[in-house]
Amino acid sequence: MTTHSHSDGQHDPGHQGGESNGIATTVLEVSGVQWASSKNVAEAVLARRPGVLSVDANPVSQTATVTYDRNRTNLSELRAWVRQCGFHCAGQSVPQHVCDPMTEPRSATGHDGHITQDAHAGHPTAPASPVSSPHDAMGHGGHGSMSMADMVRDMRNRLLVAALLSVPILLWSPIGREVLGFETVAPFGLRDDVFSLLLSLPVVFYSAWIFFDGAWRALRARTLDMMVLVAVAVGAGWLYSLGVTLTGGGEVFYEAATVLTAFVLLGHWFEMRARGGANDAIRTLLDLAPPQGLVIRDGEPVEVSTAEVVVGDLLLVRPGAKIATDGVVEEGDSDVDEALVTGESLPVHKSPGDPVIGATVNTTGTLRVRATKVGADTALAQIVALVQQAQNSKAPGQRLADKAAFWLVLVALIGGAGTFLVWLAAGASVQTALLFAITVVVITCPDALGLATPTAIMVGSGLGAKRGILFKNATAIETSARIDTVVMDKTGTLTKGEPEVTDVVLAPGVDEQRALALASALERESEHPLAQAVVRHVDATDAPRLRATGFRNVTGIGALAEVDGHKVAIGNRRLMESEDIAVGDLGAQRDEIASGGRTAVFVAVDGNVVAVIGMADAVRETSAAAVTAMHKAGIRVVMLTGDNHATAERIAEELGIDTVIAEVLPEDKARHVQQLQDEGRVVAMVGDGVNDSPSLVQADVGIAVGAGTDVAIEAADVVLMRSDPLDVPVALTIGRGTLRKMRQNLGWAVGYNAIALPIAAGVFEPAFGLVLRPEIAALSMSGSSFLVAVNALMLKRLPLPTQPADPEPVQADSLQPAH
């Protein structure tokens, strides 16, 4: 074990973040984003509007995080601008019944104020805003104001029309006759191409219309997305065939346009259903909020909407009911189940004066709770907003992928045109050249590239939220995957921050219960943390409870009182000396306990020392398992504490920590984190106090325990709501698992295009006769997006570190550092 001691040095506060006056961040509903690359439309349009500072749209969650200047714009304008993109927006993407009723209409609610959910996609159903125009309500392209469930059904209906009509079109095409041997003539005496034209009209003007509508929106927003490519491919093939038909007939390929449409819709129907599962965490959080609560008015309980509860209302919470808002218990005793909000598995006892969290479940007794936070200020609303912002944020890899997707669309368009010209120059027919060109345009669609990281981020952040681990942004998830050193504050992080009795050494012939009863009677009169530790210890035994009289605190050295006719003194050696009490052989016992980093006090009765009680900060139950999990992953664990060497080394030895840096002044913690970074380490700092904030900011990833101060939580990148040290390796596991899925998805998306593009262009046709038709290209492209979504959902099966006694062992492989 390496030990360092520092108590001086230069102060290095790191850098402090914050928002300037008037800057706000909100999560807006943006429903109707059918394709991953279509989020570029919302981002491009909003980013050019006055007062908008940044936009991160998410096609999986159907939301966008917008940072804006409230002095220059507002939510109403933002909502209107989203609609100008052709998407629907009812306002902020939070449940109506956790928001202030006087603010704008919110999404994620039904018309009655209750959340309605999509069984497939997991996105809450959002009604049209009361101020929506009829044009908005129609839903641009048939899907603007739809929920994700509606969009999935709409996609299915369009698919059915395209699939059913594509079959006869295919049979009466050259493929049907030459390959399938279908020789029946077209009905009603029509030419085959005319019959195919008539059948293709519903496909083009209904099934494929979303492509043309989306392409127009993208071009109007001065951006390029997948809709542009599919619209070009389907439109070019169909318009060419239409021209041939109208000019007397010839070789056409209506089947290419219609089967292409059917396969694109099929692939994305599957993909949308798959990526809907990534929204489970948000759906679970939204479901937590109770729609109604009982408010005591004029002495009687009245059931009201949670949105109508105001600060200061007195809530009646019966056993089994959810607590409507954050508040403080004024009357009653009960156990409250906070597992779904904080992840804490055991119910927490609540009595008058204790805070309670909205959406938690009262289990045993009846409580009267005074509301202290309502609407968007509640813990649940802030958690929902934090998770949504994390899911919408973009890691560096995602920003690169987004840029690549834009240029890939441009490459596809140029490549398609180039392929057409090259084949014409090589002597191919117009039909052949056009087929190759359409295939190139279709197969290069960047939807898989656009889905590669958002879906993984959605699942990863949701997996953390279920465990009470809140990542503030995608960068925190990605960076946590590279952590190789974890620095942990001792007090309140590895330990509970409160002392407990570790040793009781008695003088010969002394009855332990009698001695402890006398000691606890005196200590019960004191507010000192060490005194309370003695009281808790004795209360857990069968020792009788006695009363003390004449209590007198002697500052800094102990206390005196009379208990059951005996003079009792508890304190350090100086107290014993001041009372002329000889410590005898127990003095050596006291010194031995103190040498191990514990605090030891003498207990004297009627002038004789009868016991020595040793106390120390209690180690959290999961601290050892947390350190073990990180060691198995090859992560170095460092304890950084202001405590003395002996105390720090005792805790470190008990937990198996590698390095101890002790006796550190609060202002020096950030400097020690920087020193580790200067050694080439990627550092995560775990802390809970005000004095940890600079070091949390300095670290590559700052991790705050949820029981810590607001300042520490604000400075951190990750918040552990349960204050459980084991959640540190769990967070790193999730980060590494998420990054692994991101890399797999990006690798697949890039590799797929690299291989498929030359095949689609017909590069291998002269030598090997390898030709890829547009229909197969469409199926391949859509299947690629589907595989990316499914691969991200597999992250839900990621094994997480657990206590050794739990059924599932610690999985070290899942924590291997990413380089």
Side-chain angles (χ1 to χ4, degrees):
M1 182 187 300
T2 308
T3 305
H4 303 285
S5 176
H6 297 281
S7 58
D8 55 10
Q10 298 299 317
H11 171 58
D12 182 4
H15 58 84
Q16 297 293 334
E19 292 186 345
S20 59
N21 186 37
I23 304 302
T25 298
T26 187
V27 179
L28 293 176
E29 178 213 3
V30 183
S31 65
V33 182
Q34 293 273 26
W35 321 101
S37 57
S38 296
K39 66 186 177 62
N40 296 346
V41 175
E43 291 179 348
V45 171
L46 290 176
R48 289 193 288 264
R49 295 299 186 260
V52 177
L53 305 179
S54 66
V55 184
D56 286 321
N58 191 326
V60 184
S61 64
Q62 301 281 291
T63 60
T65 300
V66 182
T67 301
Y68 64 99
D69 185 346
R70 286 179 294 187
N71 297 319
R72 301 180 61 195
T73 188
N74 54 49
L75 284 175
S76 295
E77 290 185 335
L78 292 175
R79 186 174 61 182
W81 292 334
V82 171
R83 289 176 178 162
Q84 289 176 14
C85 302
F87 305 122
H88 181 69
C89 180
Q92 289 176 292
S93 180
V94 288
Q96 181 170 324
H97 51 267
V98 300
C99 288
D100 303 319
M102 299 304 294
T103 54
E104 295 185 56
R106 303 295 202 253
S107 72
T109 59
H111 290 286
D112 59 354
H114 291 262
I115 300 173
T116 53
Q117 298 292 345
D118 165 26
H120 300 302
H123 186 72
T125 302
S129 169
V131 297
S132 299
S133 67
H135 182 63
D136 290 327
M138 292 173 62
H140 305 265
H143 60 80
S145 61
M146 292 182 176
S147 69
M148 180 68 86
D150 294 330
M151 287 195 294
V152 171
R153 285 190 290 270
D154 180 66
M155 186 79 74
R156 180 199 61 196
N157 295 338
R158 293 173 190 272
L159 165 64
L160 290 175
V161 171
L164 290 175
L165 293 178
S166 292
V167 173
I169 294 174
L170 187 64
L171 291 176
W172 268 280
S173 71
I175 295 179
R177 296 190 182 281
E178 299 169 9
V179 179
L180 303 179
F182 187 79
E183 294 295 340
T184 304
V185 297
F188 311 117
L190 298 172
R191 293 199 319 258
D192 288 350
D193 60 329
V194 174
F195 180 59
S196 296
L197 167 63
L198 295 176
L199 291 179
S200 72
L201 292 176
V203 178
V204 172
F205 290 98
Y206 170 65
S207 297
W209 190 253
I210 55 174
F211 306 145
F212 304 121
D213 175 71
W216 167 246
R217 278 188 272 147
L219 294 174
R220 190 175 60 180
R222 289 178 282 169
T223 187
L224 298 173
D225 65 11
M226 175 187 163
M227 293 288 208
V228 175
L229 295 183
V230 178
V232 167
V234 173
W238 189 81
L239 288 174
Y240 171 81
S241 301
L242 176 65
V244 171
T245 299
L246 294 179
T247 55
E251 185 176 351
V252 294
F253 30 83
Y254 292 112
E255 82 285 352
T258 56
V259 175
L260 168 61
T261 298
F263 278 166
V264 171
L265 293 173
L266 174 65
H268 281 275
W269 180 56
F270 281 127
E271 175 254 306
M272 288 174 71
R273 288 171 59 93
R275 64 179 159 107
N279 231 0
D280 288 345
I282 286 293
R283 183 173 66 235
T284 300
L285 289 172
L286 292 173
D287 281 337
L288 292 179
Q292 294 177 315
L294 288 175
V295 177
I296 298 176
R297 291 178 178 166
D298 298 326
E300 295 295 327
V302 179
E303 189 171 68
V304 301
S305 169
T306 303
E308 297 176 14
V309 177
V310 298
V311 173
D313 274 346
L314 186 62
L315 305 172
L316 176 65
V317 188
R318 293 173 174 146
K322 285 186 176 182
I323 301 172
T325 67
D326 295 359
V328 175
V329 176
E330 286 207 350
E331 183 181 332
D333 284 272
S334 182
D335 292 328
V336 175
D337 184 357
E338 299 179 345
L340 292 177
V341 176
T342 68
E344 184 61 56
S345 57
L346 297 177
V348 180
H349 184 73
K350 301 293 182 180
S351 55
D354 290 336
V356 291
I357 304 171
T360 57
V361 181
N362 181 30
T363 61
T364 53
T366 298
L367 297 175
R368 281 174 168 78
V369 175
R370 185 72 64 183
T372 57
K373 292 182 180 180
V374 298
D377 292 330
T378 61
L380 176 63
Q382 291 179 357
I383 290 169
V384 170
L386 192 63
V387 174
Q388 286 180 320
Q389 289 177 29
Q391 292 178 336
N392 292 352
S393 65
K394 296 178 182 177
Q398 173 62 29
R399 297 192 183 279
L400 182 62
D402 284 349
K403 291 180 181 178
F406 174 86
W407 289 107
L408 194 59
V409 174
L410 190 59
V411 167
L413 295 173
I414 296 173
T419 300
F420 179 76
L421 296 175
V422 168
W423 276 102
L424 281 182
S429 66
V430 173
Q431 293 90 343
T432 300
L434 189 58
L435 277 178
F436 279 122
I438 291 174
T439 305
V440 167
V441 169
V442 171
I443 209 163
T444 319
C445 285
D447 215 43
L449 191 62
L451 280 174
T453 58
T455 314
I457 291 292
M458 285 282 293
V459 177
S461 58
L463 193 63
K466 288 182 178 179
R467 181 72 180 249
I469 300 169
L470 304 181
F471 295 92
K472 288 191 175 180
N473 50 61
T475 302
I477 298 178
E478 186 171 322
T479 307
S480 67
R482 301 186 175 94
I483 296 298
D484 57 27
T485 301
V486 173
V487 179
M488 304 189 78
D489 177 54
K490 180 184 74 68
T491 306
T493 303
L494 291 169
T495 66
K496 297 177 180 178
E498 59 183 28
E500 66 178 8
V501 173
T502 57
D503 305 88
V504 177
V505 182
L506 302 170
V510 173
D511 180 75
E512 181 174 357
Q513 281 203 350
R514 178 63 176 172
L516 290 177
L518 293 171
S520 65
L522 182 151
E523 297 287 46
R524 211 177 298 277
E525 303 297 317
S526 172
E527 296 295 329
H528 196 281
L530 293 178
Q532 295 304 307
V534 174
V535 172
R536 286 193 299 271
H537 176 78
V538 177
D539 284 349
T541 69
D542 294 329
R545 295 190 65 165
L546 305 175
R547 285 195 62 184
T549 59
F551 175 82
R552 181 164 61 92
N553 181 59
V554 185
T555 305
I557 60 175
L560 305 167
E562 187 170 312
V563 182
D564 199 24
H566 299 280
K567 292 182 177 180
V568 180
I570 300 179
N572 58 24
R573 194 184 299 268
R574 287 171 55 197
L575 179 66
M576 299 300 109
E577 292 173 351
S578 68
E579 296 295 315
D580 294 326
I581 300 174
V583 298
D585 293 339
L586 289 183
Q589 298 283 354
R590 180 266 168 206
D591 293 341
E592 183 178 345
I593 292 172
S595 67
R598 299 174 176 87
T599 300
V601 296
F602 295 103
V603 179
V605 178
D606 295 330
N608 298 306
V609 175
V610 297
V612 172
I613 299 177
M615 288 166 282
D617 193 2
V619 173
R620 292 188 184 274
E621 292 80 1
T622 56
S623 292
V627 174
T628 300
M630 288 185 279
H631 279 167
K632 287 186 176 181
I635 296 174
R636 178 185 177 189
V637 182
V638 178
M639 180 198 293
L640 188 63
T641 179
D643 273 354
N644 58 56
H645 282 298
T647 300
E649 288 180 352
R650 175 183 65 80
I651 297 291
E653 185 176 356
E654 183 178 346
L655 299 179
I657 290 174
D658 305 294
T659 305
V660 175
I661 306 176
E663 299 180 8
V664 180
L665 294 176
E667 59 267 24
D668 287 334
K669 288 187 175 182
R671 181 169 60 84
H672 290 294
V673 170
Q674 185 175 12
Q675 286 177 349
L676 291 168
Q677 292 172 320
D678 291 342
E679 296 172 8
R681 295 279 182 172
V682 184
V683 181
M685 174 68 195
V686 187
D688 74 330
V690 173
N691 58 21
D692 296 323
S693 299
S695 54
L696 291 174
V697 174
Q698 176 63 47
D700 296 281
V701 173
I703 303 176
V705 295
T709 65
D710 291 340
V711 175
I713 293 173
E714 181 68 26
D717 304 296
V718 182
V719 178
L720 309 182
M721 297 190 63
R722 301 195 306 173
S723 302
D724 185 348
L726 190 59
D727 284 343
V728 175
V730 170
L732 301 184
T733 301
I734 292 172
R736 288 170 179 165
T738 303
L739 182 62
R740 186 162 54 246
K741 289 299 181 184
M742 290 165 59
R743 287 176 171 174
Q744 289 172 357
N745 286 350
L746 285 171
W748 167 260
V750 173
Y752 156 80
N753 278 294
I755 295 172
L757 188 57
I759 297 176
V763 172
F764 302 109
E765 193 275 338
F768 305 102
L770 184 58
V771 178
L772 198 63
R773 287 190 59 85
E775 306 95 298
I776 305 303
L779 186 62
S780 172
M781 177 272 296
S782 300
S784 177
S785 299
F786 175 69
L787 288 176
V788 162
V790 170
N791 186 47
L793 290 177
M794 295 297 288
L795 186 60
K796 292 183 176 182
R797 304 175 63 182
L798 181 72
L800 300 176
T802 59
Q803 283 272 49
D806 290 347
E808 297 180 7
V810 172
Q811 301 289 332
D813 290 343
S814 64
L815 264 172
Q816 290 304 315
H819 298 289

mmCIF file of all heavy atoms in Angstrom, residues 521-527 548-563 567-571 575 578-579 581:
data_model
loop_
_atom_site.group_PDB
_atom_site.id
_atom_site.type_symbol
_atom_site.label_atom_id
_atom_site.label_comp_id
_atom_site.label_asym_id
_atom_site.label_seq_id
_atom_site.Cartn_x
_atom_site.Cartn_y
_atom_site.Cartn_z
ATOM 1 N N ALA A 521 -26.832 6.210 29.705
ATOM 2 C CA ALA A 521 -27.692 7.187 30.366
ATOM 3 C C ALA A 521 -27.063 8.569 30.315
ATOM 4 O O ALA A 521 -27.743 9.577 30.061
ATOM 5 C CB ALA A 521 -27.937 6.761 31.809
ATOM 6 N N LEU A 522 -25.756 8.668 30.541
ATOM 7 C CA LEU A 522 -25.062 9.954 30.457
ATOM 8 C C LEU A 522 -25.018 10.439 29.007
ATOM 9 O O LEU A 522 -25.331 11.599 28.714
ATOM 10 C CB LEU A 522 -23.651 9.822 31.022
ATOM 11 C CG LEU A 522 -22.801 11.107 31.050
ATOM 12 C CD1 LEU A 522 -21.795 11.047 32.210
ATOM 13 C CD2 LEU A 522 -22.029 11.303 29.750
ATOM 14 N N GLU A 523 -24.641 9.552 28.094
ATOM 15 C CA GLU A 523 -24.467 9.959 26.695
ATOM 16 C C GLU A 523 -25.794 10.363 26.042
ATOM 17 O O GLU A 523 -25.824 11.155 25.103
ATOM 18 C CB GLU A 523 -23.839 8.816 25.883
ATOM 19 C CG GLU A 523 -22.436 8.407 26.329
ATOM 20 C CD GLU A 523 -21.378 9.423 25.942
ATOM 21 O OE1 GLU A 523 -21.590 10.623 26.149
ATOM 22 O OE2 GLU A 523 -20.325 8.993 25.432
ATOM 23 N N ARG A 524 -26.898 9.866 26.592
ATOM 24 C CA ARG A 524 -28.200 10.226 26.029
ATOM 25 C C ARG A 524 -28.511 11.714 26.191
ATOM 26 O O ARG A 524 -29.330 12.278 25.467
ATOM 27 C CB ARG A 524 -29.284 9.381 26.694
ATOM 28 C CG ARG A 524 -30.481 9.087 25.784
ATOM 29 C CD ARG A 524 -31.474 8.187 26.500
ATOM 30 N NE ARG A 524 -30.921 6.905 26.848
ATOM 31 C CZ ARG A 524 -30.840 5.856 26.030
ATOM 32 N NH1 ARG A 524 -31.304 5.974 24.800
ATOM 33 N NH2 ARG A 524 -30.326 4.721 26.424
ATOM 34 N N GLU A 525 -27.828 12.342 27.137
ATOM 35 C CA GLU A 525 -28.035 13.770 27.382
ATOM 36 C C GLU A 525 -27.184 14.648 26.466
ATOM 37 O O GLU A 525 -27.330 15.865 26.461
ATOM 38 C CB GLU A 525 -27.692 14.107 28.850
ATOM 39 C CG GLU A 525 -28.476 13.307 29.870
ATOM 40 C CD GLU A 525 -29.969 13.587 29.767
ATOM 41 O OE1 GLU A 525 -30.335 14.773 29.615
ATOM 42 O OE2 GLU A 525 -30.758 12.632 29.818
ATOM 43 N N SER A 526 -26.295 14.028 25.708
ATOM 44 C CA SER A 526 -25.361 14.784 24.866
ATOM 45 C C SER A 526 -25.766 14.688 23.399
ATOM 46 O O SER A 526 -26.329 13.692 22.954
ATOM 47 C CB SER A 526 -23.939 14.244 25.044
ATOM 48 O OG SER A 526 -23.057 14.843 24.110
ATOM 49 N N GLU A 527 -25.445 15.747 22.633
ATOM 50 C CA GLU A 527 -25.710 15.772 21.191
ATOM 51 C C GLU A 527 -24.472 15.394 20.381
ATOM 52 O O GLU A 527 -24.515 15.383 19.152
ATOM 53 C CB GLU A 527 -26.184 17.165 20.764
ATOM 54 C CG GLU A 527 -27.506 17.590 21.376
ATOM 55 C CD GLU A 527 -28.658 16.719 20.907
ATOM 56 O OE1 GLU A 527 -28.602 16.236 19.757
ATOM 57 O OE2 GLU A 527 -29.604 16.512 21.692
ATOM 58 N N ALA A 548 -30.132 10.035 33.624
ATOM 59 C CA ALA A 548 -29.032 10.797 34.215
ATOM 60 C C ALA A 548 -29.550 12.122 34.740
ATOM 61 O O ALA A 548 -30.484 12.705 34.175
ATOM 62 C CB ALA A 548 -27.932 11.033 33.177
ATOM 63 N N THR A 549 -28.946 12.598 35.821
ATOM 64 C CA THR A 549 -29.269 13.921 36.363
ATOM 65 C C THR A 549 -27.980 14.696 36.557
ATOM 66 O O THR A 549 -26.896 14.115 36.644
ATOM 67 C CB THR A 549 -30.003 13.795 37.719
ATOM 68 O OG1 THR A 549 -29.171 13.072 38.647
ATOM 69 C CG2 THR A 549 -31.341 13.086 37.556
ATOM 70 N N GLY A 550 -28.108 16.021 36.600
ATOM 71 C CA GLY A 550 -26.936 16.858 36.818
ATOM 72 C C GLY A 550 -25.916 16.764 35.706
ATOM 73 O O GLY A 550 -24.699 16.854 35.949
ATOM 74 N N PHE A 551 -26.378 16.586 34.472
ATOM 75 C CA PHE A 551 -25.450 16.461 33.340
ATOM 76 C C PHE A 551 -24.637 17.734 33.162
ATOM 77 O O PHE A 551 -25.172 18.842 33.206
ATOM 78 C CB PHE A 551 -26.234 16.175 32.060
ATOM 79 C CG PHE A 551 -25.385 16.148 30.817
ATOM 80 C CD1 PHE A 551 -24.668 15.019 30.466
ATOM 81 C CD2 PHE A 551 -25.283 17.275 30.005
ATOM 82 C CE1 PHE A 551 -23.881 15.004 29.322
ATOM 83 C CE2 PHE A 551 -24.498 17.273 28.869
ATOM 84 C CZ PHE A 551 -23.796 16.127 28.522
ATOM 85 N N ARG A 552 -23.339 17.555 32.954
ATOM 86 C CA ARG A 552 -22.452 18.693 32.730
ATOM 87 C C ARG A 552 -21.446 18.337 31.637
ATOM 88 O O ARG A 552 -20.706 17.362 31.751
ATOM 89 C CB ARG A 552 -21.711 19.054 34.018
ATOM 90 C CG ARG A 552 -20.776 20.264 33.873
ATOM 91 C CD ARG A 552 -20.380 20.804 35.255
ATOM 92 N NE ARG A 552 -19.670 19.818 36.046
ATOM 93 C CZ ARG A 552 -18.328 19.696 36.063
ATOM 94 N NH1 ARG A 552 -17.588 20.500 35.309
ATOM 95 N NH2 ARG A 552 -17.741 18.796 36.832
ATOM 96 N N ASN A 553 -21.461 19.137 30.565
ATOM 97 C CA ASN A 553 -20.519 18.930 29.463
ATOM 98 C C ASN A 553 -19.231 19.687 29.747
ATOM 99 O O ASN A 553 -19.258 20.860 30.105
ATOM 100 C CB ASN A 553 -21.128 19.421 28.148
ATOM 101 C CG ASN A 553 -20.184 19.210 26.974
ATOM 102 O OD1 ASN A 553 -19.793 18.094 26.693
ATOM 103 N ND2 ASN A 553 -19.841 20.287 26.305
ATOM 104 N N VAL A 554 -18.106 19.010 29.614
ATOM 105 C CA VAL A 554 -16.797 19.639 29.776
ATOM 106 C C VAL A 554 -16.198 19.738 28.370
ATOM 107 O O VAL A 554 -15.727 18.740 27.809
ATOM 108 C CB VAL A 554 -15.880 18.829 30.694
ATOM 109 C CG1 VAL A 554 -14.566 19.584 30.931
ATOM 110 C CG2 VAL A 554 -16.573 18.534 32.017
ATOM 111 N N THR A 555 -16.250 20.923 27.803
ATOM 112 C CA THR A 555 -15.922 21.118 26.384
ATOM 113 C C THR A 555 -14.563 20.531 26.014
ATOM 114 O O THR A 555 -13.551 20.834 26.651
ATOM 115 C CB THR A 555 -15.934 22.608 26.028
ATOM 116 O OG1 THR A 555 -17.195 23.154 26.402
ATOM 117 C CG2 THR A 555 -15.705 22.813 24.545
ATOM 118 N N GLY A 556 -14.578 19.691 24.999
ATOM 119 C CA GLY A 556 -13.332 19.162 24.443
ATOM 120 C C GLY A 556 -12.780 17.946 25.132
ATOM 121 O O GLY A 556 -11.874 17.303 24.594
ATOM 122 N N ILE A 557 -13.301 17.597 26.328
ATOM 123 C CA ILE A 557 -12.690 16.444 27.019
ATOM 124 C C ILE A 557 -13.708 15.414 27.505
ATOM 125 O O ILE A 557 -13.335 14.290 27.814
ATOM 126 C CB ILE A 557 -11.806 16.899 28.209
ATOM 127 C CG1 ILE A 557 -12.638 17.673 29.233
ATOM 128 C CG2 ILE A 557 -10.629 17.729 27.709
ATOM 129 C CD1 ILE A 557 -11.813 18.047 30.489
ATOM 130 N N GLY A 558 -15.004 15.744 27.597
ATOM 131 C CA GLY A 558 -15.964 14.735 28.010
ATOM 132 C C GLY A 558 -17.164 15.311 28.708
ATOM 133 O O GLY A 558 -17.522 16.478 28.520
ATOM 134 N N ALA A 559 -17.818 14.467 29.564
ATOM 135 C CA ALA A 559 -19.040 14.888 30.246
ATOM 136 C C ALA A 559 -19.167 14.157 31.573
ATOM 137 O O ALA A 559 -18.610 13.068 31.770
ATOM 138 C CB ALA A 559 -20.252 14.610 29.359
ATOM 139 N N LEU A 560 -19.949 14.757 32.501
ATOM 140 C CA LEU A 560 -20.162 14.204 33.831
ATOM 141 C C LEU A 560 -21.655 14.197 34.136
ATOM 142 O O LEU A 560 -22.399 15.055 33.658
ATOM 143 C CB LEU A 560 -19.444 15.049 34.883
ATOM 144 C CG LEU A 560 -17.933 15.290 34.685
ATOM 145 C CD1 LEU A 560 -17.456 16.400 35.631
ATOM 146 C CD2 LEU A 560 -17.152 14.009 34.942
ATOM 147 N N ALA A 561 -22.115 13.242 34.974
ATOM 148 C CA ALA A 561 -23.513 13.203 35.411
ATOM 149 C C ALA A 561 -23.649 12.203 36.540
ATOM 150 O O ALA A 561 -22.721 11.432 36.847
ATOM 151 C CB ALA A 561 -24.418 12.823 34.243
ATOM 152 N N GLU A 562 -24.817 12.202 37.159
ATOM 153 C CA GLU A 562 -25.131 11.214 38.195
ATOM 154 C C GLU A 562 -26.214 10.295 37.643
ATOM 155 O O GLU A 562 -27.251 10.748 37.156
ATOM 156 C CB GLU A 562 -25.620 11.908 39.459
ATOM 157 C CG GLU A 562 -25.813 10.937 40.631
ATOM 158 C CD GLU A 562 -26.061 11.645 41.950
ATOM 159 O OE1 GLU A 562 -25.313 12.592 42.268
ATOM 160 O OE2 GLU A 562 -27.019 11.255 42.638
ATOM 161 N N VAL A 563 -25.958 8.985 37.739
ATOM 162 C CA VAL A 563 -26.871 7.993 37.194
ATOM 163 C C VAL A 563 -27.136 6.920 38.245
ATOM 164 O O VAL A 563 -26.187 6.268 38.718
ATOM 165 C CB VAL A 563 -26.307 7.343 35.911
ATOM 166 C CG1 VAL A 563 -27.316 6.343 35.334
ATOM 167 C CG2 VAL A 563 -25.945 8.381 34.868
ATOM 168 N N LYS A 567 -21.718 8.434 40.389
ATOM 169 C CA LYS A 567 -21.094 9.506 39.627
ATOM 170 C C LYS A 567 -20.402 8.891 38.410
ATOM 171 O O LYS A 567 -19.482 8.079 38.565
ATOM 172 C CB LYS A 567 -20.092 10.263 40.481
ATOM 173 C CG LYS A 567 -20.741 11.068 41.613
ATOM 174 C CD LYS A 567 -19.710 11.839 42.412
ATOM 175 C CE LYS A 567 -20.369 12.681 43.493
ATOM 176 N NZ LYS A 567 -19.369 13.454 44.304
ATOM 177 N N VAL A 568 -20.855 9.306 37.236
ATOM 178 C CA VAL A 568 -20.338 8.731 35.988
ATOM 179 C C VAL A 568 -19.601 9.811 35.211
ATOM 180 O O VAL A 568 -20.080 10.955 35.110
ATOM 181 C CB VAL A 568 -21.476 8.151 35.121
ATOM 182 C CG1 VAL A 568 -20.922 7.563 33.818
ATOM 183 C CG2 VAL A 568 -22.256 7.094 35.894
ATOM 184 N N ALA A 569 -18.424 9.438 34.704
ATOM 185 C CA ALA A 569 -17.629 10.346 33.869
ATOM 186 C C ALA A 569 -17.206 9.604 32.594
ATOM 187 O O ALA A 569 -16.746 8.459 32.659
ATOM 188 C CB ALA A 569 -16.395 10.829 34.616
ATOM 189 N N ILE A 570 -17.391 10.257 31.440
ATOM 190 C CA ILE A 570 -16.969 9.673 30.160
ATOM 191 C C ILE A 570 -16.182 10.730 29.397
ATOM 192 O O ILE A 570 -16.645 11.851 29.209
ATOM 193 C CB ILE A 570 -18.176 9.225 29.312
ATOM 194 C CG1 ILE A 570 -19.002 8.175 30.065
ATOM 195 C CG2 ILE A 570 -17.719 8.670 27.960
ATOM 196 C CD1 ILE A 570 -20.214 7.702 29.298
ATOM 197 N N GLY A 571 -14.956 10.351 28.965
ATOM 198 C CA GLY A 571 -14.143 11.296 28.223
ATOM 199 C C GLY A 571 -12.745 10.783 28.002
ATOM 200 O O GLY A 571 -12.463 9.590 28.157
ATOM 201 N N LEU A 575 -9.845 14.373 30.960
ATOM 202 C CA LEU A 575 -10.989 14.405 31.883
ATOM 203 C C LEU A 575 -10.695 13.555 33.118
ATOM 204 O O LEU A 575 -10.995 13.955 34.255
ATOM 205 C CB LEU A 575 -12.253 13.909 31.193
ATOM 206 C CG LEU A 575 -13.503 13.873 32.083
ATOM 207 C CD1 LEU A 575 -13.914 15.289 32.487
ATOM 208 C CD2 LEU A 575 -14.664 13.174 31.382
ATOM 209 N N SER A 578 -8.358 15.452 35.328
ATOM 210 C CA SER A 578 -8.991 16.580 36.001
ATOM 211 C C SER A 578 -9.881 16.130 37.161
ATOM 212 O O SER A 578 -10.119 16.874 38.111
ATOM 213 C CB SER A 578 -9.804 17.401 35.016
ATOM 214 O OG SER A 578 -10.918 16.665 34.556
ATOM 215 N N GLU A 579 -10.358 14.881 37.080
ATOM 216 C CA GLU A 579 -11.208 14.349 38.148
ATOM 217 C C GLU A 579 -10.430 13.438 39.092
ATOM 218 O O GLU A 579 -11.035 12.769 39.944
ATOM 219 C CB GLU A 579 -12.373 13.549 37.515
ATOM 220 C CG GLU A 579 -13.325 14.381 36.677
ATOM 221 C CD GLU A 579 -14.071 15.410 37.498
ATOM 222 O OE1 GLU A 579 -14.563 15.062 38.587
ATOM 223 O OE2 GLU A 579 -14.144 16.583 37.049
ATOM 224 N N ILE A 581 -8.840 10.647 38.555
ATOM 225 C CA ILE A 581 -9.189 9.234 38.361
ATOM 226 C C ILE A 581 -8.027 8.535 37.660
ATOM 227 O O ILE A 581 -7.584 8.960 36.592
ATOM 228 C CB ILE A 581 -10.469 9.096 37.511
ATOM 229 C CG1 ILE A 581 -11.662 9.787 38.194
ATOM 230 C CG2 ILE A 581 -10.786 7.623 37.265
ATOM 231 C CD1 ILE A 581 -12.911 9.819 37.358
#
